Amino acid sequence: MGIECQPVTGTLGAEVTGVDMANPTDTMIDELKKAWLDHKVLIVRDQHITTEEHIAFGRRFGELEVHPFATGRKDHPEIVKIKSTAENRYAASNWHSDVTWRQEPSMGSILRGVVIPPVGGDTTFADAAAAYRRLPEAVREEVDDLFAIHDFTNTFGRRLSPEDRAEKQKEFPPARHPVIRTHPDTGERSIYTNRAFVSHIEGVTAERSDQLLDILERAIMTPSVQMRVRWDVDTFVFWDNRAVQHQAANDFWPETRHVERVTVVGEKPF
Ligand code: SIN
């Protein structure tokens, strides 16, 4: 039968049917890889699979990373568990692409809804290539060849003691990535800075770096380049970290929201 993709906006994202994540055939994986490049975010619903199957499915797309800070599931280190409760009100509500503080950040993430609040907790995605194309030409020319420094210290680093942070900084030194990256498969250019992990843009004053980071984030925040996912339990969303940015709405407390991610290792951005 093959998979079917129903676009959800004029820019990015598709609801995909015809997928059985428990029994992924080679053909299905090939179709999903193509759909992932075409739509950048895929929503696959009603997949009642085990954690082991989630991990095995992720491995069909590449090596899975073990997150050094989000270590919620000791039994399955490849799973990033993001659980928000009334007592622990955490949500990934800053615009970002996953783990850009790594030298070789993620190519893609596959996130599962485990416990979903009755309303709220949606995830919004922005097409970072469409956002780049909408920048004024003068800004594009200014940022096209610049590099930005990404590091974990302002986010995950805040939860560490000064000694542990210093140790982790040796293991994960700041990463230097292009402000505008080129997708290795599609050749599209897209905005690759975010306020969560970027400390500054190199080669410009601190003031201009701040201004540019704001301009680039505002481009990402434009509704015309966005789509929004309403979660259900056992909904899976696949996104291409080389092409989109995302953020989760923190509008659901005191309800619980629990999602689990596998993250596919990527390449050094260029
Ligand atoms: C993430 O940033 O990987 C999590 C997004 C979400 O919680 O919706």
Side-chain angles (χ1 to χ4, degrees), residues 182-233:
T182 304
H183 196 289
D185 296 318
T186 65
E188 272 196 314
R189 308 256 302 144
S190 64
I191 295 172
Y192 200 61
T193 53
N194 62 76
R195 282 298 201 174
F197 302 133
V198 170
S199 58
H200 63 284
I201 294 178
E202 265 186 6
V204 294
T205 63
E207 190 187 3
R208 189 60 186 152
S209 165
D210 247 15
Q211 288 166 351
L212 287 173
L213 289 172
D214 275 349
I215 291 169
L216 296 169
E217 188 177 60
R218 274 204 303 276
I220 292 289
M221 288 171 161
T222 308
S224 303
V225 303
Q226 294 179 355
M227 61 165 290
R228 187 168 176 128
V229 173
R230 171 74 200 135
W231 289 93
D232 286 303
V233 173

Side-chain angles (χ1 to χ4, degrees), residues 67 69-77 79-82 260:
H67 199 293
F69 306 113
T71 50
R73 284 201 59 171
K74 303 266 183 282
D75 54 342
H76 292 294
I79 296 278
V80 174
K81 173 178 168 183
I82 306 170
E260 292 190 351

